[in-house]
Amino acid sequence: RACLASPLAMAPKAAKTSKPAKRSVAAHRARITQLEACDADYRRFMDVYERDQLILVRGYEVPSSESRKAQQKVPPIRFATLQQLYAKHPKVVKRAFFVEKPPDSLSSSSSCTASHVADVLLGDSKCPRGPWYASFVVQRNRSVLGTFLKSLPFRVPPFLEDASAAQHGAEAPKHSDAAWVFFGRNEQQQLMRGRAEHTDAIEHSGTWHIQLHGSKVWTLRPTDELIRRNRKWKDVGHFKVHCQAGDVLCVNTRLWWHRTHIPGNCPFSLSVARDMYLDGTQPDTPNFTNVKGHYATRVFDRGSVVFTQDEAPDLALPRSRTSNCALRDAGGELVVVAKRRIKPGEWFSISESEDEDAEPAPKKRRR
């Protein structure tokens, strides 16, 4: 589409109130930098991303069924594409299948496992009614990954391709041999939330997400580490980024607190993401798996033990202000307990600070 000046790049209007409002200052500072697809190249991307660890590139054309058919190319990616992938390679899909929000028909079921939800969502001929929200990773099979990437508008965004980087004397970024697939359906009026706010323990430079169908809304908040690196984000609270089909969001999810939701009246939302390495690091072979304890497969009542340290010694739970779990000392053993009733499909999370969940020390009696 034609390149237009981004409304986010325009100067903000003067506040009507005579007193400077802290919220308006934060809102001004929180304006994410965006580029039009036809203006985005490697240097413009890097200038922004190195500073903010966040950028939105808008306006990539997501081919419709008609345009792809006319060109006699691979059909555009859609829900049927995911079903076909599952039918041919169920082990690839199930290896790392995550349930953000299970269908209502399974939310109270004791069999609400990731494998069962995958069968229900992708194994049936018809797309189940919403609301539901799930994801999986295509990995550890280059042939399957290569075929899947051909259904996308591009394997990597044009501004990260070899040619764009070479024009600026830089080495092209590396990408992991994996693709994250996020898909959901929400016909209800109210929005449908995914995981609670969290950061990711990643070693790469960040991830780019292309929205292919429907829309998804990101709620972002800078971490303390990001604020120390870039004072632009000081005093900035939560702000939202609305992604529509054709938008590419690049974000370092280690430095940005984030959560997502699918807005109401969205019959199908689909996005695909890939991890990028901007420092020349050669990515290791990906090996994402379903880790026991990341989300509930049954009901956990308040105060019940979710798992012990021995059961999940390497588990790193996401941190959240609205956490549903807490760390407790049980006879010298560290355990994770439910702070409230947790339903099947909910992701486990702990507070941003361990001190917030620590039991208060017993008061000393006066003598």
Side-chain angles (χ1 to χ4, degrees):
R1 65 189 185 193
C3 294
L4 300 175
S6 167
L8 297 183
M10 300 178 182
K13 296 181 179 180
K16 295 182 179 180
T17 176
S18 58
K19 295 182 179 180
K22 191 172 184 179
R23 180 178 298 177
S24 64
V25 173
H28 167 61
R29 289 179 177 174
R31 291 180 177 227
I32 180 175
T33 300
Q34 73 172 24
L35 298 174
E36 289 293 328
C38 53
D39 288 332
D41 61 17
Y42 179 79
R43 179 48 52 199
R44 289 188 178 94
F45 163 77
M46 289 299 293
D47 286 344
V48 175
Y49 194 80
E50 287 182 338
R51 180 190 69 216
D52 294 344
Q53 301 293 295
L54 177 71
I55 188 172
L56 180 65
V57 183
R58 314 200 86 140
Y60 284 105
E61 184 175 350
V62 179
S64 64
S65 300
E66 291 74 17
S67 62
R68 281 290 185 97
K69 184 176 181 180
Q71 298 173 21
Q72 294 184 344
K73 293 184 178 181
V74 179
I77 185 171
R78 58 192 194 279
F79 186 71
T81 308
L82 308 185
Q83 291 178 310
Q84 293 165 7
L85 175 64
Y86 183 71
K88 294 180 180 179
H89 308 283
K91 291 183 178 180
V92 172
V93 174
K94 285 187 174 183
R95 169 179 281 273
F97 193 92
F98 304 93
V99 183
E100 307 274 346
K101 165 71 172 67
D104 289 341
S105 59
L106 299 178
S107 60
S108 59
S109 172
S110 59
S111 62
C112 185
T113 63
S115 178
H116 183 55
V117 174
D119 288 336
V120 172
L121 293 182
L122 298 175
D124 294 338
S125 59
K126 293 184 178 180
C127 177
R129 293 190 60 82
W132 50 261
Y133 192 5
S135 63
F136 63 89
V137 188
V138 182
Q139 60 176 339
R140 301 186 67 80
N141 189 319
R142 290 192 174 184
S143 175
V144 175
L145 176 63
T147 300
F148 177 75
L149 292 177
K150 288 180 181 178
S151 66
L152 306 181
F154 40 68
R155 294 176 64 95
V156 301
F159 55 85
L160 293 178
E161 290 179 345
D162 293 6
S164 183
Q167 288 179 354
H168 299 279
E171 183 181 356
K174 304 289 193 303
H175 286 79
S176 63
D177 287 331
W180 293 80
V181 182
F182 301 88
F183 63 114
R185 188 173 186 178
N186 185 27
E187 299 103 329
Q188 61 185 1
Q189 295 291 328
Q190 62 268 34
L191 59 84
M192 177 179 57
R193 300 188 187 279
R195 294 176 57 183
E197 183 184 61
H198 63 284
T199 57
D200 299 322
I202 59 175
E203 297 180 356
H204 51 77
S205 305
T207 309
W208 57 262
H209 299 250
I210 178 170
Q211 190 70 30
L212 296 165
H213 283 277
S215 59
K216 182 162 68 175
V217 180
W218 291 68
T219 300
L220 301 169
R221 176 170 62 92
T223 60
D224 291 340
E225 179 182 351
L226 180 61
I227 293 173
R228 287 193 296 268
R229 292 171 54 172
N230 185 349
R231 303 302 288 178
K232 164 187 175 179
W233 301 108
K234 183 182 179 183
D235 299 327
V236 170
H238 294 88
F239 62 95
K240 291 180 171 57
V241 178
H242 296 253
C243 292
Q244 305 291 338
D247 291 346
V248 175
L249 177 68
C250 304
V251 56
N252 186 329
T253 54
R254 182 180 68 84
L255 295 175
W256 283 97
W257 289 99
H258 59 283
R259 65 176 184 264
T260 62
H261 72 256
I262 298 178
N265 300 314
C266 182
F268 184 50
S269 174
L270 173 64
S271 61
V272 172
R274 295 190 71 189
D275 299 332
M276 55 187 180
Y277 294 76
L278 304 177
D279 58 0
T281 300
Q282 186 65 38
D284 294 329
T285 301
N287 188 26
F288 301 104
T289 58
N290 281 325
V291 181
K292 180 181 179 181
H294 265 185
Y295 58 85
T297 58
R298 62 177 178 83
V299 172
F300 287 87
D301 292 324
R302 180 180 179 182
S304 61
V305 175
V306 177
F307 47 76
T308 67
Q309 190 173 15
D310 291 336
E311 290 175 334
D314 299 321
L315 183 62
L317 291 180
R319 296 183 178 273
S320 171
R321 284 184 174 180
T322 57
S323 59
N324 55 16
C325 293
L327 298 176
R328 294 289 184 264
D329 188 313
E333 182 184 22
L334 196 62
V335 299
V336 175
V337 301
K339 294 169 60 175
R340 58 169 175 77
R341 191 173 188 270
I342 301 176
K343 300 178 181 179
E346 284 192 63
W347 286 81
F348 298 130
S349 61
I350 58 176
S351 297
E352 294 180 19
S353 169
E354 291 185 5
D355 293 339
E356 295 177 18
D357 281 336
E359 291 285 4
K363 297 181 179 180
K364 294 183 178 179
R365 295 184 180 179
R366 291 184 180 178
R367 293 185 177 178

